[in-house]
Amino acid sequence: MDDSARQRRWPAYTMAVLFLGYAAGKAVLAVQHRLGFPGGPPVSAAETARYARDFMAPATAQWLATASGVVGACLALATVTRLGRRVPRTLMLPVLAGMFLAVASGAGIMMLDGFVGIGVGWRWYHGLLGLVVIGLQAAMIRSYLRATRRRVGSSPGALGPAALVAVLPALGSIVDDRGRATGQTRSGASVNVASFHCPPRCARRTCSSVGGTT
């Protein structure tokens, strides 16, 4: 049983919106055959040509980035939807960890260049955005972990250690009372059985052996 009823969903929804915005911006740049980041510093034509010569075409790189943004949005939604919960937790956690590292590395560069300055061209508000994104991702993953953890005694009909400690004395009292009542009932029943089965003409020895009387 999970804690999905108490899960905070807004970090995942916010991350999904940011991922989709990232994907849309990258798609625009892919159509324009340009490198860069939506809303980020411009990339010169010389750098674009060098990237195309050494790595791949700018449009191909941007389309791949667009796909990664869509995948990131789907993963964010998977942490808070019933369909996503069908994915095994052991498989979901490494994927979320990889996504966190990838996004945090990019956000870290934005923060470093925006606050300190390393020559890339990010501004201070880009650094703030990177800090917010890292915080949102951490909150999303933390919420998923809390919602999918298995607690001792959370299965239906099960009792946890604290509940057992509280219930055991009451159970002992009930068992003791029922034991006494059962003993009295059996004693009375044996006498009744003896008086029922022993006719008036039966021997006194037989009655005493069955009814327990002398």
Side-chain angles (χ1 to χ4, degrees):
M1 181 178 177
D2 57 46
D3 298 332
S4 58
R6 296 182 294 176
Q7 183 182 15
R8 293 189 300 176
R9 301 173 183 270
W10 64 266
Y13 292 143
T14 306
M15 283 302 304
V17 172
L18 292 176
F19 274 124
L20 291 177
Y22 170 84
K26 285 293 188 177
V28 172
L29 293 176
V31 173
Q32 298 173 351
H33 298 272
R34 293 170 47 201
L35 292 177
F37 189 87
V43 180
S44 65
E47 291 178 351
T48 301
R50 184 168 57 253
Y51 184 90
R53 182 179 63 253
D54 296 339
F55 297 100
M56 66 180 71
T60 303
Q62 297 291 38
W63 283 123
L64 291 176
T66 300
S68 68
V70 175
V71 171
C74 293
L75 286 175
L77 293 177
T79 63
V80 293
T81 57
R82 184 174 301 177
L83 182 61
R85 295 293 176 76
R86 295 180 181 178
V87 180
R89 192 172 188 258
T90 54
L91 177 62
M92 193 70 171
L93 288 181
V95 174
L96 291 176
M99 182 180 71
F100 179 83
L101 293 176
V103 176
S105 62
I109 294 175
M110 292 171 60
M111 294 168 57
L112 184 62
D113 191 43
F115 296 144
V116 179
I118 57 176
V120 179
W122 298 106
R123 310 294 292 180
W124 63 269
Y125 47 85
H126 294 125
L128 288 178
L129 177 61
L131 184 62
V132 169
V133 168
I134 291 178
L136 284 172
Q137 274 220 123
M140 178 188 73
I141 296 176
R142 180 174 180 271
S143 179
Y144 174 77
L145 290 174
R146 294 186 62 184
T148 56
R149 67 182 178 183
R150 295 187 179 277
R151 300 177 300 173
V152 177
S154 61
S155 59
L159 291 176
L164 286 176
V165 171
V167 169
L168 282 177
L171 288 178
S173 177
I174 293 173
V175 171
D176 186 57
D177 293 342
R178 294 191 62 179
R180 294 176 181 176
T182 304
Q184 294 174 358
T185 303
R186 287 178 179 176
S187 177
S190 62
V191 175
N192 293 336
V193 169
S195 61
F196 177 79
H197 287 286
C198 293
R201 62 178 180 274
C202 70
R204 183 178 180 86
R205 183 181 304 174
T206 305
C207 293
S208 61
S209 63
V210 176
T213 58
T214 56

